[in-house]
Amino acid sequence: MVESGGSGRPRPDSEESAERSVTPAPPPPTPEERPVEPVAPEEPSAADADAPAQREQDALAKQEAHGSAQRESHGSAQEGAADGAGQASDASGTTPAAPGPAPAPTPASPPSRSAAPADLHPDHPRAHTHGDPGDAPALGEAPAPSRGRPPRPPEPRGGLLMGRPFGVPVYVAPSWFLVAALITWVFGGQLDRVLPELGAARYLVSLFFAVAFYASVLVHELAHTVAALRFKLPVRRIQLQFFGGVSEIEKEAETPGREFWLAFVGPLLSLALSGLFYLALQPVEPGTVPGVLLAGLMVSNLIVAVFNLLPGLPLDGGRMLRAVVWKITGKPMSGTVAAAWVGRALAVSVLIGLPLLTQSGALGESAEDSVGMDTVMDALLAAILAAIIWTGAGNSLRMARLREHLPELRARNLTRRAVPVESDTPLSEALRRANDAGARALVVVDAHGEPLSLVREAAIVGVPEHRRPWVAVSGLAQELTDGMRVSAELAGEDLLDALRATPATEYLVVEETGEIYGVLSAADVERAFVKAMARPS
């Protein structure tokens, strides 16, 4: 069996500007308009507390005075730029992934602590964030709890690493040891009837058969892997599990023809292995250990090939059926829906039909022999197989829906508007500037306007309001690394891959020219991811 994750090709999305009716909240009072109250428990004496508070108030007063002088020296040109930014804060747009309008970032010239800086890039259209910006919490307020699973879960190892053929890690899941013990027990019971002289050694022979059988399954999965790499499709890993193996192909085949061959090579190689074991069995004397092992491997590989050719997802035959319907209709989603529902019908057939076939003797045993514990085991095996097929078909539908909506996740539309601040700017002043500009992110820059770090939203929320005038933004910022700079043009699976490569809470979004566009929050991407999964196909 083969599982694959994938991505659809990005579709252009329309962005229509509309006038927002939400009146922006008035900015909080500046440090001059409200007295600063020091925290009593942190001050050993009144004299010690008054001194830093007075120095801070004097510094803020000088800063505000200097800012007023600068604003007057800039004249009407500065006021016109501020008015333009204020009008832009009312612009909004909608995309398929966004439930409502939100302000867009506009980068700015190098900041000045003495004046509220303009947005980053006022010539850019506003970016769109999730939810109505009127409903979104202001910077510094606790965000609403997110629902759903993040799009960047931690990468699971997948079990015991056995090697990296063709550069692809191969893992043995813990459940394999359970199925190996089960095969050893069942096959050992059969050997007791065929080769009773082996005694307890039959279980060693059975264990060897279990390992050899799963080696054949690994060859089956390597066939899928080689074909995927041949088609330039990345393979995340191969995992040997309870019922076979899984080749996790990260992208979808670009054409139905490639999808068909990608699925068909696995059963084809299993058939080839069955033929090889048949040829190797010819010169071997029947009733010997080599003869029994070769016969068992021949039959088991034949069963693997035939079972995987059944036309229902998540089996290889289901992927082949999906490719055929895709070719006929021209729609990958139509092929997935058809193959998934056939897979669910196949699951019901296995649940009901496998015990009936066993009881009828069609599988080689008489009805008299299939009683008691054997009947229970057959029913349990049928139930497990049916559950795996049914669940796999449902997962295939969900993955197809995700691939269909992934292009709606665009970094440009999800980016928060940001304002630049210097590292020694008090948090209260930085929040005032952000609220004045309608921004929801802070970028710490140097004297030349080059970004240094991003102020973490969670850290801002954790600072009590009465302490914010004494806390510098540099103490709440996360230093920028190369992986925390993402292009504004990223979308869909490319965007998720970029975020997955460097886990963080915020990312700096830049234009192709290197200019700052804004800040992308991982929480916003998560909400967009969950909303895209919930949208009807």
Side-chain angles (χ1 to χ4, degrees):
M1 291 183 286
V2 56
E3 286 183 356
S4 64
S7 64
R9 289 176 286 279
R11 299 193 299 270
D13 53 303
S14 60
E15 299 182 0
E16 302 177 358
S17 298
E19 196 67 25
R20 285 177 49 196
S21 60
V22 179
T23 304
T30 63
E32 282 192 345
E33 296 173 350
R34 63 182 183 186
V36 178
E37 300 178 1
V39 181
E42 298 180 2
E43 302 163 4
S45 65
D48 294 338
D50 292 338
Q54 185 62 38
R55 284 196 299 270
E56 184 66 20
Q57 289 177 349
D58 293 341
L60 292 176
K62 290 179 182 179
Q63 172 186 330
E64 187 65 20
H66 180 59
S68 301
Q70 264 198 341
R71 285 190 291 270
E72 290 174 3
S73 65
H74 280 73
S76 59
Q78 180 74 10
E79 295 175 0
D83 292 342
Q87 292 173 0
S89 67
D90 290 337
S92 66
T94 57
T95 65
T106 50
S109 55
S112 171
R113 284 196 61 198
S114 58
D119 291 320
L120 302 171
H121 284 302
D123 55 323
H124 285 310
R126 297 262 172 164
H128 307 278
T129 58
H130 286 299
D132 192 328
D135 298 333
L139 187 61
E141 297 180 1
S146 61
R147 294 174 295 178
R149 180 174 298 179
R152 299 182 297 103
E155 297 287 346
R157 286 183 52 84
L160 180 64
L161 178 64
M162 300 301 295
R164 294 180 178 269
F166 306 102
V168 178
V170 176
Y171 293 99
V172 174
S175 60
W176 178 86
F177 295 96
L178 177 61
V179 73
L182 181 62
I183 292 176
T184 301
W185 175 54
V186 173
F187 195 69
Q190 295 177 351
L191 283 178
D192 190 30
R193 290 192 288 263
V194 178
L195 299 170
E197 65 274 10
L198 288 177
R202 67 181 184 273
Y203 291 109
L204 290 178
V205 177
S206 300
L207 180 60
F208 179 82
F209 171 78
V211 174
F213 170 67
Y214 265 84
S216 301
V217 173
L218 176 59
V219 172
H220 174 111
E221 298 303 329
L222 284 174
H224 292 302
T225 297
V226 172
L229 296 177
R230 176 68 178 82
F231 295 143
K232 309 297 184 184
L233 302 176
V235 181
R236 182 187 177 203
R237 66 179 180 180
I238 297 174
Q239 188 180 47
L240 300 180
Q241 302 173 341
F242 188 89
F243 271 101
V246 174
S247 299
E248 297 185 8
I249 303 172
E250 294 185 344
K251 293 186 181 294
E252 184 184 49
E254 296 180 354
T255 64
R258 290 185 174 185
E259 172 79 358
F260 184 92
W261 282 108
L262 183 61
F264 182 56
V265 291
L268 180 63
L269 200 56
S270 292
L271 285 173
L273 286 175
S274 180
L276 288 176
F277 287 125
Y278 173 77
L279 294 177
L281 181 62
Q282 299 308 306
V284 177
E285 182 180 353
T288 62
V289 171
V292 172
L293 287 176
L294 289 173
L297 291 172
M298 177 193 69
V299 174
S300 61
N301 276 277
L302 181 62
I303 293 175
V304 168
V306 173
F307 182 75
N308 275 278
L309 286 173
L310 294 177
L313 287 173
L315 303 177
D316 294 331
R319 294 173 60 84
M320 295 165 63
L321 174 62
R322 174 182 181 270
V324 172
V325 177
W326 178 4
K327 179 68 175 179
I328 295 174
T329 63
K331 298 178 180 180
M333 188 64 183
S334 298
T336 302
V337 171
W341 280 106
V342 172
R344 287 178 170 176
L346 179 63
V348 176
S349 301
V350 169
L351 179 62
I352 300 175
L354 184 59
L356 292 179
L357 287 175
T358 304
Q359 289 295 316
S360 65
L363 298 181
E365 292 185 356
S366 63
E368 291 78 7
D369 295 334
S370 301
V371 293
M373 184 57 68
D374 290 340
T375 302
V376 175
M377 291 296 296
D378 291 337
L380 180 60
L381 176 64
I384 294 175
L385 285 174
I388 291 175
I389 297 174
W390 183 280
T391 303
N395 289 339
S396 298
L397 282 175
R398 283 187 289 272
M399 286 300 300
R401 184 167 65 246
L402 171 60
R403 286 193 294 266
E404 190 177 45
H405 293 299
L406 264 183
E408 301 170 7
L409 300 180
R410 307 184 65 85
R412 186 177 297 275
N413 299 338
L414 301 175
T415 299
R416 294 182 178 186
R417 195 176 180 189
V419 293
V421 293
E422 293 184 358
S423 59
D424 57 346
T425 305
L427 178 58
S428 59
E429 171 63 13
L431 293 179
R432 183 188 68 80
R433 297 180 190 179
N435 291 330
D436 285 346
R440 295 182 58 205
L442 299 172
V443 180
V444 178
V445 297
D446 60 16
H448 303 287
E450 292 297 324
L452 301 175
S453 56
L454 301 178
V455 181
R456 294 174 293 116
E457 183 181 18
I460 295 175
V461 175
V463 178
E465 186 173 356
H466 61 271
R467 292 291 304 158
R468 292 175 180 179
W470 287 279
V471 178
V473 293
S474 58
L476 308 175
Q478 181 178 3
E479 184 179 358
L480 282 173
T481 61
D482 291 339
M484 292 175 62
R485 299 172 186 258
V486 299
S487 170
E489 303 303 323
L490 287 180
E493 191 166 358
D494 292 336
L495 174 60
L496 296 183
D497 289 341
L499 304 189
R500 190 182 296 116
T502 308
T505 55
E506 286 90 11
Y507 299 84
L508 183 68
V509 181
V510 296
E511 295 282 9
E512 293 181 351
T513 59
E515 295 178 303
I516 300 174
Y517 187 71
V519 173
L520 178 64
S521 171
D524 291 342
V525 180
E526 175 185 343
R527 284 189 287 269
F529 183 86
V530 174
K531 184 175 182 61
M533 288 294 292
R535 289 173 61 88
S537 300

